[in-house]
């Protein structure tokens, strides 16, 4: 679009602001009124990937955000386009992943007149994200983008929504009138009080049956090196949550993934490392846990501490920083969990028993094949650096046990919201962010039906 000398339109300002704030990828479906934003974004060097469905576009944006560590963008048209993308906005919010949804909107001057695809989009988005606002003038776009990105990234990560009316997208202003905004840096890495660090280590030393649960919060905070140092220094048994898999390799000798239920039920102390006592971990309650189990809880959000189960020791702050504190404090202690204990023996016996129970199913060559037999062939062909996307009910649940992960942020699935339809959107995002790594999506037939048309993509 031609513009007057010295003037700039809203679409260009949006693209420039996104680029400034670290947006590398934009997923979406273009149409009225957002086509100019998609064009401007590509001119600014942002990779635009057109999807087949707004839900898949929003799922792809949040997966790319998780994998890159910065909020990435989803661009959709007004009205129904925004409504379709709200599924991804909610999923990102509950999953604690940042993302930025940009929705087109009818012109401000037509508000209330029954304009094309007119909808109360900010009102709809607000309950499902951390930040939602309409941009009312082009010159304020950098300000709103900075606010949205900072809100999505800082504290507990989550979703943000920006409403872009048609007349703001096309509106021209003098460049001198544009309000500049600061570039959002990396989130502050807050530390825990030293006395809490010592209390956590004292509690671990006093436990007879300790268990460390490694959650996806450790993957998000890029704490894999610190977590591995902590586990190998303390020699504590650990269990990974579904998307915590890979922070510690699944084949590590201290993993108790093969005896998950037994480890949870019999532990006398659980150390939550960036994991939550939600439905995935059975709320921390009996009968899945001992009624007297003690809890150490590390979480970025103070509000999460003690949720569903009281914590004996609270470590509030950044996962990478706090596990680093634990490692430093361990340098003055001679303690590690012994190699031979009844707890280790019981876990090893349970792992062996579970392996023996599924071995006949893995070896079963009858037709039709069972899940374990199918996964035998899939797992045999998985490179160690593969990014695995799992979706479906039994397909996903059994796949977690049969498809190992060895690197952090290499497992993407339905997550905390239990969302179906994420599969191929996540896979497209993973292929875009990591073009040199194999991406394997394993889905049930029903799950595939949600997003199967995304297979029509060329490689991003």
């Amino acid at each position: 679009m031609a513009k007057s000398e010295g003037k700039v339109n809203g679409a260009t300002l949006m693209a420039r602001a996104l680029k400034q704030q670290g947006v590398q990828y934009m997923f979406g479906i273009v149409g009225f009124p957002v086509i100019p934003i998609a064009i401007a974004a590509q001119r600014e060097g942002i990779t635009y990937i057109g999807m087949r469905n707004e839900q898949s576009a929003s799922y792809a944006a949040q997966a790319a955000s998780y994998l890159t560590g910065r909020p990435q963008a989803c661009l959709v048209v007004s009205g129904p386009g925004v409504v379709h993308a709200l599924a991804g906005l909610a999923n990102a919010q509950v999953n604690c992943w940042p993302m930025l949804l940009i929705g087109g909107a009818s012109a401000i001057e037509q508000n209330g007149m029954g304009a094309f695809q007119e909808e109360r989009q900010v009102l709809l988005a607000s309950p499902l994200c951390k930040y939602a606002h309409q941009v009312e003038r082009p010159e304020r776009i950098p300000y709103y983008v900075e606010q949205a990105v900072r809100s999505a990234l800082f504290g507990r990560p989550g979703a943000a929504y920006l409403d872009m009316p048609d007349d703001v997208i096309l509106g021209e202003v003098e460049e001198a009138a544009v309000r500049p905004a600061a570039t959002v840096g990396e989130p502050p890495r807050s530390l825990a009080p030293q006395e809490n660090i010592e209390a956590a280590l004292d509690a671990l030393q006093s436990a007879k049956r300790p268990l460390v649960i490694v959650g996806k919060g450790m993957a998000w905070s890029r704490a894999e090196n610190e977590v591995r140092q902590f586990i190998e220094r303390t020699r504590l048994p650990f269990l990974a949550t579904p998307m915590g898999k890979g922070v510690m390799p699944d084949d590590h000798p201290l993993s108790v993934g093969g005896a998950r239920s037994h480890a949870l039920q019999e532990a006398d102390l659980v150390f939550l490392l960036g994991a939550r006592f939600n439905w995935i971990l059975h709320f921390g309650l009996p009968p899945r846990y001992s009624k007297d189990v003690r809890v150490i809880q590390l979480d970025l959000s103070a509000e999460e501490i003690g949720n569903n189960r009281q914590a004996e020791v609270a470590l509030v702050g950044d996962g990478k920083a706090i596990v680093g504190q634990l490692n430093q404090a361990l340098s003055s202690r001679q303690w590690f969990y012994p190699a031979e204990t009844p707890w280790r023996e019981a876990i090893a016996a349970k792992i062996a028993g579970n392996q023996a129970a599924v071995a006949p199913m893995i070896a079963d060559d009858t037709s039709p094949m069972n899940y374990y037999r199918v996964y035998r062939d899939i797992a045999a062909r998985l490179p160690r650096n593969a990014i695995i996307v799992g979706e479906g009910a039994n397909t996903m649940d059994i796949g977690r046990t049969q498809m190992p992960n060895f690197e952090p942020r290499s497992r993407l699935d339905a997550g905390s919201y239990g969302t179906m339809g994420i599969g191929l959107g996540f896979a497209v995002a993973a292929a875009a962010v990591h073009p040199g790594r194999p991406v394997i999506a394993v889905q049930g037939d029903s799950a595939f039906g949600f997003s199967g048309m995304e297979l029509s993509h060329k490689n991003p």
Side-chain angles (χ1 to χ4, degrees), residues 329-340:
L330 280 166
S331 64
S332 62
R333 298 188 181 220
Q334 301 304 312
W335 172 84
F336 58 84
Y337 190 65
E340 297 182 6

Side-chain angles (χ1 to χ4, degrees), residues 143-389:
Y143 171 83
Y144 284 124
V145 171
E146 188 275 342
Q147 279 211 329
V149 168
R150 179 161 44 84
S151 296
L153 187 59
F154 280 26
R156 169 167 283 177
Y161 174 73
L162 286 176
D163 206 51
M164 286 292 289
D166 176 41
D167 44 359
V168 174
I169 294 171
L170 300 178
E172 290 187 337
V173 295
E174 295 289 342
E175 292 208 45
V178 177
R179 301 184 181 187
T183 301
V184 177
E186 292 301 304
R189 292 192 179 272
S190 53
L191 300 171
Q194 192 59 35
E195 58 266 29
N196 292 33
I197 295 293
E198 299 297 339
L201 295 178
D202 289 342
L204 286 168
Q205 283 188 227
S206 69
K208 292 182 179 179
R209 300 184 302 280
L211 176 66
V212 177
I213 299 180
V214 181
K216 72 172 179 281
M218 294 297 101
W220 166 254
S221 66
R222 272 58 181 172
E224 53 268 20
N225 292 334
E226 289 77 9
V227 171
R228 293 183 189 194
Q229 181 181 345
F230 175 75
I231 294 294
E232 291 175 355
R233 168 64 178 78
T234 60
R235 305 180 194 175
L236 290 164
F238 74 89
L239 173 70
T241 64
M243 278 189 280
K245 284 161 58 72
V247 173
M248 293 290 296
D250 279 345
D251 61 353
H252 194 283
L254 293 171
S255 171
V256 300
R260 181 183 188 274
S261 295
H262 178 81
L264 293 177
Q265 289 174 335
E266 300 299 326
D268 66 351
L269 183 145
V270 168
F271 187 3
L272 288 176
L273 279 181
R276 293 179 285 173
F277 273 145
N278 55 18
W279 67 275
I280 294 175
L281 288 178
H282 317 289
F283 312 108
L285 298 175
R288 293 287 189 159
Y289 296 79
S290 165
K291 65 182 180 63
D292 299 319
V293 68
R294 301 158 63 196
V295 176
I296 305 168
Q297 190 171 3
L298 189 164
D299 201 278
L300 187 61
S301 172
E303 291 84 353
E304 187 63 34
I305 301 297
N307 191 27
N308 293 324
R309 190 86 196 213
Q310 185 176 0
E312 178 178 318
V313 182
L315 302 173
V316 179
D318 176 75
K320 182 180 179 72
I322 291 177
V323 179
Q325 286 183 278
L326 290 166
N327 291 333
Q328 186 174 10
L330 280 166
S331 64
S332 62
R333 298 188 181 220
Q334 301 304 312
W335 172 84
F336 58 84
Y337 190 65
E340 297 182 6
T341 67
W343 179 227
R344 289 202 196 278
E345 292 171 3
I347 289 173
K350 194 66 177 179
I351 290 174
N354 288 341
Q355 289 175 340
V358 301
M361 291 184 283
I362 295 174
D364 186 356
D365 288 330
T366 59
S367 181
M369 289 189 290
N370 67 71
Y371 283 100
Y372 290 91
R373 176 61 183 84
V374 172
Y375 280 122
R376 187 183 89 187
D377 289 342
I378 295 173
R381 291 164 173 80
L382 286 177
R384 286 184 71 88
N385 69 335
I387 298 174
I388 301 170
V389 180

Side-chain angles (χ1 to χ4, degrees), residues 1-4 7-18 26 33-41 43-44 75 102 135-145 162-175 178:
M1 175 181 294
K3 64 180 188 296
S4 305
K7 291 190 175 183
V8 62
N9 65 21
T12 298
L13 287 172
M14 173 58 74
R16 290 177 181 174
L18 293 174
M26 177 182 285
V34 298
I35 291 174
I37 295 178
I39 293 172
R43 286 175 178 164
E44 293 297 322
L75 179 69
I102 302 164
V135 181
E136 74 280 358
R137 298 198 307 274
E139 63 267 27
R140 300 202 71 202
I141 288 173
Y143 171 83
Y144 284 124
V145 171
L162 286 176
D163 206 51
M164 286 292 289
D166 176 41
D167 44 359
V168 174
I169 294 171
L170 300 178
E172 290 187 337
V173 295
E174 295 289 342
E175 292 208 45
V178 177

Side-chain angles (χ1 to χ4, degrees), residues 55-56 59 371 390-396 414 418-424 442-453:
Q55 288 187 19
S56 289
Y59 297 143
Y371 283 100
E391 186 180 13
N394 290 331
T395 304
M396 180 174 63
T419 303
M420 291 294 99
I422 50 88
L424 292 178
V442 182
Q443 301 175 281
D445 54 352
S446 180
F448 176 79
F450 281 89
S451 60
M453 285 300 293

